[in-house]
């Protein structure tokens, strides 16, 4: 297992090199400038769309704007925000959060373009149903000669959509918060039991299809974000005297990198810190990766630009709000400097430090909701990828592969799981960003027409 772990780690490091960082962050900056900072100028209109002000039940699609954003957020507002941020701080200190923010701001522009394209170039599956997603906008927008990129994205998506990291960290949280403090022995056996329980819960929802998934997560996501927000605010109030210091340290450490413990990359320690922040940002909000296009591509709308505007709220909620809350909770308690625990256990230690007796249980409740909702959404993404590759009539076979992977995630190491998903996310980003950059001028043409009509 150690040899496999090392191999997966080398694979993730290889694909997360300078070319991919340039593609994700450089490409995102290009889209931000091309749009003339449009995502930030129409935030109010985005919120109106989210509230259903412009909904039309006769528009094509399966789910409304709110449900599509909830489905996308349920797969991103999760362990990436809790365990992923903890991993970033454990390896990079406060400065890693600055680069995570940069990836989120740039990611808002990327999300606008990718998800506008997801509706603009919807295709049909083998059963004649309208579908959206990177693979469809590559084929429909760029033509058949680019289909190899759509296939590449879909194959990478079969692994990238597996829930192994979320399951791994939920299992670790249950062990650390619930079982070990109550003197219940933990190990392979207990991990397997947790995995089996998650398999049963997940099977009930995912075998019901997108309608059941979107209805479930549209109730879960707002509630779990609210509970998490209140819990972290309590931690910040308890430690209010050091909040300004640690908030400023996010900026000062972003370029000093004195707390960075990872491998130097891009010629130095600062390069390693930047890549760490971008990797964790991509894992947190998935901007440029392309999974969310499959949820937003199913939105009930005849105006592609509207879905792009709704989708761009994702990184703002996910990374700028939820990840920042996690980061501050870990930093202000000082736990990150005094313990060897990593991932979700580090966040749990911070909660317990500031809210004794109940803090870590509150976190476990949030984690359970975050993780279980993401289990539902990622299964949908995987079935869409298999549907594209092997036909819609065969997509349900992915669910069985997906369910088995839950047991794998529950019984293996954190490093293997996070590197596995990181690596395949990186592979998915390549066709997503290349096709989006090529098709970006068409998005801007549609946007100018849309906003002109809106003013009139």
């Amino acid at each position: 297992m150690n040899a496999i772990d090392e191999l997966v780690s080398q694979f993730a490091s290889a694909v997360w090199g300078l070319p991919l960082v340039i593609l994700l962050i450089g490409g995102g900056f290009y889209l931000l400038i091309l749009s003339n900072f449009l995502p930030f100028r129409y935030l109010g209109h985005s919120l109106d769309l989210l509230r259903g002000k412009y909904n039309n039940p006769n528009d094509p699609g399966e789910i409304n704007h709110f449900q599509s954003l909830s489905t996308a957020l349920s797969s991103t507002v999760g362990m990436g925000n809790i365990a992923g941020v903890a991993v970033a701080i454990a390896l990079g200190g406060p400065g890693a959060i600055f680069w995570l923010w940069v990836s989120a701001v740039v990611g808002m522009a990327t999300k606008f373009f990718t998800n506008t394209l997801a509706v603009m170039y919807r295709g049909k599956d083998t059963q004649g149903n309208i579908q959206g997603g990177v693979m469809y906008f590559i084929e429909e927008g760029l033509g058949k000669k680019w289909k190899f990129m759509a296939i590449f994205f879909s194959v990478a998506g079969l692994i990238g959509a597996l829930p192994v990291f979320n399951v791994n960290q939920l299992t670790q949280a249950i062990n650390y918060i619930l079982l070990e403090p109550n003197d219940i022995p933990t190990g392979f056996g207990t991990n397997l039991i947790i995995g089996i329980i998650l398999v049963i819960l997940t099977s009930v929802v995912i075998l019901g299809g997108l309608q059941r998934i979107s209805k479930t997560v549209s109730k879960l996501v707002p509630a779990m974000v609210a509970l998490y927000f209140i819990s972290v605010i309590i931690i910040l109030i308890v430690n209010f005297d050091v909040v300004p210091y640690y908030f400023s340290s996010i900026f000062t450490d972003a370029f000093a990198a004195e707390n960075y413990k990872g491998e130097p990359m891009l010629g130095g320690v600062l390069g390693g810190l930047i890549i760490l922040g971008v990797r964790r940002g991509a894992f947190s909000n998935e901007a440029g990766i392309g999974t969310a296009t499959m949820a937003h591509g199913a939105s009930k709308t005849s105006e592609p630009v509207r879905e792009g505007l709704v989708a761009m709220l994702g990184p703002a909620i996910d990374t700028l709000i939820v990840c920042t809350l996690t980061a501050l909770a870990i930093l202000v308690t000082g736990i990150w400097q005094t313990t060897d625990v990593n991932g979700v256990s580090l966040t749990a230690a911070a909660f317990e430090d500031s809210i004794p007796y109940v803090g870590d249980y509150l976190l476990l409740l949030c984690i359970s909701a975050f993780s279980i909702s993401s289990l539902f959404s990622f299964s949908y993404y995987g079935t869409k990828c298999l549907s594209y590759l092997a036909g819609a009539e065969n997509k349900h076979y992915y669910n069985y592969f997906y369910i088995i992977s839950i047991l794998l995630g529950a019984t293996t190491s954190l490093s293997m799981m996070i590197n596995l998903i990181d690596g395949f996310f990186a592979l998915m980003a390549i066709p997503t960003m290349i096709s989006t950059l090529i098709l970006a001028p068409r998005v801007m043409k549609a946007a100018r027409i849309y906003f002109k009509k809106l003013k009139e």
Side-chain angles (χ1 to χ4, degrees):
M1 287 302 287
N2 287 338
I4 296 171
D5 200 351
E6 180 61 27
L7 190 66
V8 173
S9 176
Q10 289 174 1
F11 158 66
S13 296
V15 289
W16 273 102
L18 181 59
L20 187 70
V21 173
I22 291 172
L23 187 62
L24 273 175
I25 298 299
F29 268 117
Y30 166 75
L31 295 173
L32 195 59
I33 293 163
L34 180 69
S35 68
N36 198 17
F37 294 86
L38 179 144
F40 303 97
R41 291 189 285 122
Y42 286 97
L43 279 172
H45 182 56
S46 301
L47 293 170
D48 285 341
L49 290 166
L50 193 61
R51 288 190 292 113
K53 188 174 177 181
Y54 298 89
N55 283 359
N56 182 349
N58 297 318
D59 280 344
E62 294 182 73
I63 51 179
N64 63 36
H65 292 303
F66 182 75
Q67 289 174 327
S68 65
L69 183 64
S70 294
T71 303
L73 277 175
S74 69
S75 61
T76 58
V77 176
M79 283 302 181
N81 307 84
I82 297 175
V85 170
V87 168
I89 291 173
L91 282 176
I97 304 306
F98 176 83
W99 297 108
L100 194 120
W101 286 346
V102 170
S103 77
V105 172
V106 170
M108 288 179 72
T110 305
K111 282 261 190 171
F112 170 74
F113 279 87
T114 54
N115 291 287
T116 299
L117 287 168
V119 177
M120 188 183 290
Y121 293 108
R122 290 198 264 212
K124 288 188 176 180
D125 61 23
T126 53
Q127 292 179 334
N129 298 315
I130 293 175
Q131 300 288 356
V134 172
M135 61 287 251
Y136 291 100
F137 74 63
I138 288 174
E139 186 175 344
E140 301 294 324
L142 294 176
K144 298 286 185 186
K145 65 180 182 293
W146 292 85
K147 188 168 180 176
F148 71 95
M149 282 209 314
I151 293 170
F152 183 87
F153 172 85
S154 300
V155 171
L158 294 176
I159 306 297
L162 292 178
V164 286
F165 173 71
N166 286 301
V167 170
N168 177 277
Q169 287 296 277
L170 178 57
T171 305
Q172 184 179 317
I174 292 169
N175 287 337
Y176 184 86
I177 296 169
L178 196 61
L179 303 184
E180 289 169 8
N182 292 299
D183 299 321
I184 298 171
T186 58
F188 181 83
T190 51
N191 292 348
L192 186 62
I193 291 167
I194 293 167
I196 291 168
I197 292 167
L198 291 175
V199 162
I200 294 166
L201 278 173
T202 307
S203 302
V204 170
V205 175
I206 67 173
L207 299 178
L210 178 60
Q211 291 289 345
R212 186 182 292 177
I213 292 169
S214 63
K215 284 176 182 174
T216 304
V217 299
S218 63
K219 292 181 177 69
L220 261 180
V221 170
M224 67 187 181
V225 170
L227 178 61
Y228 191 65
F229 182 82
I230 292 165
S231 302
V232 174
I233 293 299
I234 293 169
I235 293 174
L236 299 184
I237 291 169
V238 169
N239 299 279
F240 73 94
D241 54 323
V242 294
V243 170
Y245 169 76
Y246 280 112
F247 189 77
S248 63
S249 72
I250 291 172
F251 297 92
T252 55
D253 277 32
F255 300 94
E258 61 189 39
N259 291 300
Y260 182 64
K261 302 182 187 73
E263 290 292 320
M265 296 178 81
L266 304 188
V269 172
L270 179 59
L273 183 63
I274 292 169
I275 285 191
L276 174 66
V278 173
R279 268 176 79 166
R280 299 279 58 80
F283 190 84
S284 163
N285 61 50
E286 83 79 62
I289 307 302
T291 52
T293 62
M294 293 181 264
H296 288 289
S299 180
K300 194 179 276 290
T301 182
S302 56
E303 291 282 4
V305 173
R306 284 182 183 168
E307 197 55 33
L309 289 167
V310 169
M312 76 181 188
L313 294 171
I317 296 167
D318 178 278
T319 307
L320 295 179
I321 296 175
V322 183
C323 283
T324 303
L325 290 173
T326 303
L328 288 173
I330 293 170
L331 292 172
V332 300
T333 56
I335 290 291
W336 61 285
Q337 293 174 307
T338 59
T339 181
D340 292 329
V341 295
N342 199 348
V344 72
S345 302
L346 180 58
T347 314
F351 270 65
E352 174 61 18
D353 181 77
S354 292
I355 315 174
Y357 307 113
V358 297
D360 48 3
Y361 291 108
L362 278 174
L363 180 65
L364 183 59
L365 187 61
C366 293
I367 286 168
S368 301
F370 281 139
S371 296
I372 291 168
S373 67
S374 67
L375 290 182
F376 304 153
S377 299
F378 273 119
S379 71
Y380 173 65
Y381 298 153
T383 58
K384 291 264 281 199
C385 289
L386 187 62
S387 173
Y388 182 81
L389 292 168
E393 61 279 2
N394 296 311
K395 67 180 181 181
H396 63 281
Y397 290 116
Y398 182 80
N399 284 331
Y400 308 119
F401 173 56
Y402 185 88
I403 286 165
I404 292 167
S405 79
I406 292 175
L407 299 177
L408 177 70
T411 54
T412 44
S413 72
L414 163 63
S415 60
M416 186 189 297
M417 293 301 96
I418 199 165
N419 285 324
L420 180 72
I421 301 304
D422 269 358
F424 279 92
F425 264 29
L427 296 180
M428 293 168 74
I430 296 167
T432 300
M433 288 303 295
I434 290 172
S435 56
T436 301
L437 291 169
I438 295 170
L439 292 166
R442 301 189 205 177
V443 173
M444 286 313 301
K445 183 179 178 182
R448 283 189 286 271
I449 294 168
Y450 175 77
F451 290 117
K452 186 181 177 184
K453 284 195 295 184
L454 190 68
K455 285 176 182 175
E456 289 170 354

